[in-house]
Amino acid sequence: MLEFIWPWMFYLLPLPLLARLLLPPAETRQAALKTPFLEDFRQETTTAARAIHGRQTLVLAGLCWLLLVTATARPQWVGEPVELPVSGRDLMMAVDLSGSMNEQDFFINDRPVDRLTAAKRVAGEFIDRRAGDRLGLILFGDRAYMQTPLTFD
């Protein structure tokens, strides 16, 4: 089902018409420097052709305004609610990224690895066993920052 978050924005639809009716027309000035355009090379068009072109421009501008106001009203497709598991835990993992994590004092498959690689492997195994829990990740070194907020993903 389509739902508009800000349906009151549709009150802006008559704004161009009100501006046209209430504001004085803009002054047309002669350009100080004439630049050639494609219209300068065409033959004179008839009044009827200019009127049709003006109506097409007006319809296109009206359609653009309608689409802009509709987008501003924030349309959202609302579907069926999704059941999320609520029996799990909220866990935040903190991982050190300082220079000390470059020390190769751990062994994986009889091969020396640095501390960060060992931490990634242990964290991966831990995450795989966390069905139904929300996990987040905080990284720190000189300063701490949240890399990932709590999520089921």
Side-chain angles (χ1 to χ4, degrees), residues 84-90 131-133 152:
L84 295 175
V86 291
S87 62
R89 295 176 181 93
D90 292 341
D133 292 342
F152 287 109

Side-chain angles (χ1 to χ4, degrees), residues 34-143:
K34 179 85 167 125
T35 56
F37 290 100
L38 189 58
E39 291 85 26
D40 295 338
F41 299 107
R42 292 188 184 145
Q43 294 181 358
E44 280 296 318
T45 58
T46 64
T47 307
R50 271 189 247 133
I52 290 172
H53 177 69
R55 273 186 252 132
Q56 289 174 345
T57 303
L58 186 63
V59 167
L60 183 61
L63 180 63
C64 289
W65 179 250
L66 175 67
L67 292 174
L68 182 66
V69 170
T70 303
T72 306
R74 296 186 60 196
Q76 293 184 359
W77 188 262
V78 180
E80 295 297 320
V82 177
E83 283 292 323
L84 295 175
V86 291
S87 62
R89 295 176 181 93
D90 292 341
L91 304 169
M92 291 296 291
M93 294 177 51
V95 177
D96 184 9
L97 294 180
S98 65
S100 67
M101 295 298 281
N102 290 331
E103 290 291 323
Q104 292 192 352
D105 54 357
F106 283 91
F107 291 90
I108 296 177
N109 297 332
D110 295 328
R111 199 184 78 194
V113 294
D114 58 40
R115 294 177 181 175
L116 185 59
T117 304
K120 287 179 186 178
R121 180 159 180 183
V122 170
E125 292 170 358
F126 177 76
I127 291 170
D128 289 340
R129 294 192 311 257
R130 303 277 36 113
D133 292 342
R134 292 192 320 162
L135 293 171
L137 179 63
I138 298 174
L139 301 176
F140 66 94
D142 293 337
R143 292 192 173 111

